[in-house]
Amino acid sequence: MSERLEDIAVAMVANGKGILAADESSGTIKKRFDVIGVESTADSRRDYREMMFRTKEAMTKYISGVILYDETIRQNAADGTPLVELIKASGAIPGIKVDAGAKGIVNFPGDTITEGLDGLRERLAEYYKLGARFAKWRGVIDIDTTRSVPSAYSIAANTHALARYAALCQEAGIVPIVEPEVLMDGAHDIDTCYDVTKATLVKLYDELYAARVKLEGTILKPNMVISGKKAARQASAEEIAEKTIKLFRETVPA
């Protein structure tokens, strides 16, 4: 397979295929195992992932890439084959989650900033050697109109971090999935979501451009323009589709 960033990015969005998110933290997957009465151990987590990666027809036909967690990218299958090799054998591309989660921003109640830039250059070099060819970083933008959330500072800080992450990924030969997620929690209407998402995407592409990130070698993982879960009026599927596509045409470089 080609190692060019733009070729990897195109392969990740192949028609009829999607990306499998197998990047739950050990804490998150334990909660899921608890529901079905399975003990969460390194072996049980490995067996769960291996079961998915060995479903040959599904992996080959429908999966273009797999996002892994730090533990998983280092694990071997029960027979000793690295899990990364199972993914590659199916024709899918191994990827890795690299952010360290969202933390509250000092002096800005309700706003968060995603952490994980410290040491990222070295981690990406290691992940590349382990087989990762794309990465994921999620910036979280909440909406709470009663508290003026998000602040302009929060949008600026998160998009700047996304751009720094993206540049480091490309330096390492890894395609960055850039995810500035405007959350659908809250009571805001669809127009508020539109305005916040637009402000976020405009700032994001300013930052990516300033950081000299090669856009052809990136993947944008956006949110839909949608009413908040607690909104009195829920927009129809047609309105969501119309406003989401309109927004992308206005903000995302062709």
Side-chain angles (χ1 to χ4, degrees):
M1 171 168 196
S2 171
E3 291 280 287
R4 292 194 331 149
L5 292 170
E6 50 267 59
D7 293 335
I8 295 169
V10 167
M12 287 169 63
V13 292
N15 285 339
K17 292 190 174 186
I19 294 173
L20 172 64
D23 61 335
E24 304 99 331
S25 67
S26 299
T28 298
I29 203 167
K30 180 182 184 304
K31 292 175 188 173
R32 295 180 182 178
F33 279 7
D34 286 347
V35 172
I36 57 173
V38 173
E39 184 183 2
S40 179
T41 65
D43 284 348
S44 66
R45 292 191 294 273
R46 176 208 64 203
D47 292 344
Y48 171 65
R49 267 58 181 269
E50 182 181 351
M51 174 185 68
M52 291 191 288
F53 304 157
R54 285 195 185 276
T55 54
K56 204 165 219 174
E57 185 176 3
M59 285 288 296
T60 302
K61 284 187 175 179
Y62 304 114
I63 302 299
S64 60
V66 180
I67 309 172
L68 299 169
Y69 183 58
D70 182 79
E71 174 188 65
T72 317
I73 199 170
R74 304 174 189 279
Q75 281 184 315
N76 294 332
D79 66 1
T81 307
L83 293 182
V84 166
E85 293 304 318
L86 295 182
I87 294 167
K88 289 161 72 174
S90 74
I93 303 166
I96 182 70
K97 174 189 173 183
V98 296
D99 72 64
K103 307 289 169 59
I105 299 179
V106 176
N107 298 330
F108 290 85
D111 279 328
T112 61
I113 180 68
T114 298
E115 298 183 344
L117 288 171
D118 288 351
L120 182 56
R121 175 177 269 143
E122 293 74 22
R123 287 191 288 133
L124 287 167
E126 181 186 15
Y127 287 141
Y128 183 91
K129 289 178 183 175
L130 289 169
R133 292 299 179 268
F134 75 91
K136 186 191 112 165
W137 178 291
R138 177 174 173 257
V140 181
I141 307 292
D142 204 356
I143 298 178
D144 184 347
T145 54
T146 65
R147 294 198 290 174
S148 299
V149 170
S151 64
Y153 179 77
S154 166
I155 291 173
N158 276 288
T159 53
H160 180 73
L162 280 162
R164 287 183 60 192
Y165 140 82
L168 287 166
C169 283
Q170 292 190 341
E171 177 189 57
I174 289 173
V175 170
I177 291 181
V178 180
E179 182 180 5
E181 184 180 11
V182 176
L183 299 182
M184 62 177 70
D185 303 326
H188 56 275
D189 60 22
I190 190 169
D191 291 325
T192 301
C193 179
Y194 185 97
D195 292 341
V196 171
T197 306
K198 182 173 182 177
T200 301
L201 289 177
V202 167
K203 186 63 176 168
L204 172 68
Y205 281 102
D206 279 348
E207 291 287 351
L208 290 171
Y209 181 77
R212 300 179 179 174
V213 170
K214 186 175 186 177
L215 296 186
E216 300 91 329
T218 66
I219 298 287
L220 174 66
K221 184 176 185 290
N223 55 280
M224 291 184 291
V225 176
I226 194 167
S227 311
K229 286 180 182 176
K230 299 171 187 170
R233 187 186 83 81
Q234 292 293 313
S236 66
E238 290 76 12
E239 186 180 3
I240 291 166
E242 181 183 340
K243 290 189 173 176
T244 299
I245 292 170
K246 179 177 184 288
L247 175 72
F248 293 160
R249 285 177 172 159
E250 289 181 349
T251 59
V252 181

